Amino acid sequence: MKKRTVQRKKGTSILDQEKAARRNLIIMWIANFFIAGSMTMVLPFLSLYIETFGDFSDQYVKHWSGWVFGITFVSAIIFSPIWGRFGDKYGRKNILIISGTGLAICVFLMGFVTSVFQLFLLRFVMGIFTGFISIGQALISTETPKHLAGKVLGTLQTGNVSGALLGPLLGGVLADSIGFAKTFQLTAITLILAAFLVLYGIKESRLDAGKEKKKRYTSKEVVSHILRHPMLLAVMFISIFIQIAHFSIQPILALYVSEIHGPANLALFSGIAFSVTGLGNLLMARSWGRIADRFGYEKILVLLLISSAIVYFPGAFVTNIWQLIILRFLLGVTIGGIIPVRTAYIRQVAPISIQGEVLGYNNSLRFLGNIIGPALGGLLSGYFGISSVFYVTSFLLLACGIMLASVIKQNPKYVTENRA
């Protein structure tokens, strides 16, 4: 791959630059929609697919379902910073094409596996290529003026959420209609389509990095930059706990719905309780980004963390399904705004030439939270009941909000609104 230039071509008007940036945003929105939809399309029936490989016990299926689901995040933790660094060096468009193509091949081959172990290996390899959405965020981020970063990245986030909302529904319909194997094969088509959209639609450019003191950083220097920046380190550290909060209740949500609602239409109401969080995210992600652009990213992050803790806690005391659904929607409104605001903050404080790698480390922390969350939720609910998940998760979110507020107070020079 040829090394890209980091400056815009001379003679390119500001109007042309803005037009290209808008075009890239629209194309990445569509590509992210396809990627998020495709990646979630197969999740509802992974355990059912495993059952088709043999006459297994329920315990065996549950055991391997957990491993097959979680192994993707393990490889993603390792490779996210690597892809981010390659994107900074060789161009994010190139890495997006590789990622989309790799995902398509892995998912396509899943339609032909004949054993659980083969599926497990493919899910591991798929994790290597799961950086598409974060690299897309880095691409759009570096083309966006700092004062608009929250609004633009919030808009991009709605593409991910829309795909994630529709993916499981469409995947379930396809699996019932044409079978599991063919659903994997059809899903691969949308993944490769996302790669082609990037290949033929994205025109990569970057804001001028000429004023930066340094253009090249080793991986050691990138890590050092993060560790020496207390606000950036705190914001990235919070990523773990946001994902823990998001995923801790998900594996046992259907059981909780059954407890408070009973068996009637259990699948329907579980699906509503699961998806309504994404709906709240979809409706407010762009607005939170715009608000953060105006009032400061750190302040809005603190507000969202504390608000998330407040709306999470009453979930332990609900007595009917509609109370739970309303709280889940409010959780989506609050916790969903954290992703674009956090990414916009990184846009403010990380040099352009390392933003992909920094976002890669941030994604690794997110994926770590994806692993810890379900394990913590299962452990707590098994020993202390499902209500305990709400107590602990609310405490973690509140603690993160207080911790971030403390870091802001102790390090005012690192707050974005105080930056030159």
Side-chain angles (χ1 to χ4, degrees), residues 50-109:
I50 291 172
E51 289 180 340
T52 66
F53 300 142
D55 185 16
F56 305 127
S57 66
D58 288 344
Q59 184 178 2
Y60 180 92
V61 172
K62 290 176 182 177
H63 172 79
W64 274 103
S65 294
W67 279 107
V68 167
F69 176 80
I71 192 61
T72 302
F73 298 124
V74 174
S75 49
I77 288 171
I78 299 169
F79 283 91
S80 285
I82 296 173
W83 288 121
R85 183 169 183 80
F86 284 169
D88 290 333
K89 187 174 183 180
Y90 297 110
R92 296 176 181 113
K93 176 178 176 177
N94 295 324
I95 305 304
L96 285 168
I97 295 167
I98 293 171
S99 176
T101 304
L103 289 172
I105 293 171
C106 290
V107 172
F108 182 76
L109 292 176

Side-chain angles (χ1 to χ4, degrees), residues 283-339:
L283 293 177
M284 283 298 295
R286 188 171 186 267
S287 297
W288 281 123
R290 186 171 61 246
I291 293 168
D293 287 334
R294 182 177 179 183
F295 294 103
Y297 304 97
E298 301 91 343
K299 292 178 181 177
I300 300 303
L301 281 172
V302 171
L303 173 65
L304 290 173
L305 285 165
I306 294 175
S307 299
S308 298
I310 291 171
V311 299
Y312 212 116
F313 187 77
F317 305 100
V318 297
T319 56
N320 68 66
I321 185 62
W322 295 111
Q323 292 172 350
L324 180 64
I325 287 172
I326 291 171
L327 289 173
R328 294 280 298 170
F329 173 79
L330 293 175
L331 180 65
V333 168
T334 54
I335 205 170
I338 293 173
I339 297 174

Side-chain angles (χ1 to χ4, degrees), residues 272-284:
I272 294 173
F274 185 89
S275 299
V276 75
T277 306
L279 178 62
N281 187 341
L282 177 64
L283 293 177
M284 283 298 295

Side-chain angles (χ1 to χ4, degrees), residues 4 70 84 128 135 177 200 222 233 273 281 305 377:
R4 61 175 176 172
I128 296 173
I135 296 168
S177 303
Y200 293 108
V222 174
L233 182 61
N281 187 341
L305 285 165

Side-chain angles (χ1 to χ4, degrees), residues 243-259:
Q243 297 307 110
I244 289 174
H246 191 58
F247 278 86
S248 61
I249 195 64
Q250 287 192 9
I252 54 176
L253 186 61
L255 296 175
Y256 195 48
V257 171
S258 179
E259 278 188 15

Side-chain angles (χ1 to χ4, degrees), residues 349-363:
V349 301
I352 286 177
S353 53
I354 65 170
Q355 284 187 12
E357 188 169 356
V358 173
L359 285 170
Y361 284 115
N362 185 71
N363 261 348

Side-chain angles (χ1 to χ4, degrees), residues 70-206:
I71 192 61
T72 302
F73 298 124
V74 174
S75 49
I77 288 171
I78 299 169
F79 283 91
S80 285
I82 296 173
W83 288 121
R85 183 169 183 80
F86 284 169
D88 290 333
K89 187 174 183 180
Y90 297 110
R92 296 176 181 113
K93 176 178 176 177
N94 295 324
I95 305 304
L96 285 168
I97 295 167
I98 293 171
S99 176
T101 304
L103 289 172
I105 293 171
C106 290
V107 172
F108 182 76
L109 292 176
M110 286 178 195
F112 297 95
V113 297
T114 57
S115 72
V116 180
F117 188 67
Q118 291 173 357
L119 182 63
F120 176 83
L121 285 178
L122 283 173
R123 289 279 299 176
F124 174 82
V125 175
M126 189 173 76
I128 296 173
F129 299 101
T130 54
F132 187 99
I133 289 176
S134 61
I135 296 168
Q137 289 174 337
L139 186 148
I140 297 301
S141 172
T142 52
E143 294 189 339
T144 302
K146 288 185 175 182
H147 68 284
L148 296 174
K151 176 183 175 182
V152 171
L153 291 167
T155 302
L156 185 63
Q157 173 74 6
T158 62
N160 314 344
V161 177
S162 299
L165 282 173
L166 293 177
L169 176 62
L170 182 57
V173 171
L174 287 174
D176 287 339
S177 303
I178 61 175
F180 301 130
K182 283 187 169 55
T183 299
F184 278 107
Q185 293 157 18
L186 284 177
T187 300
I189 295 175
T190 57
L191 290 167
I192 200 66
L193 181 59
F196 274 105
L197 277 172
V198 172
L199 176 63
Y200 293 108
I202 293 293
K203 297 185 183 300
E204 185 174 10
S205 61
R206 294 203 295 185

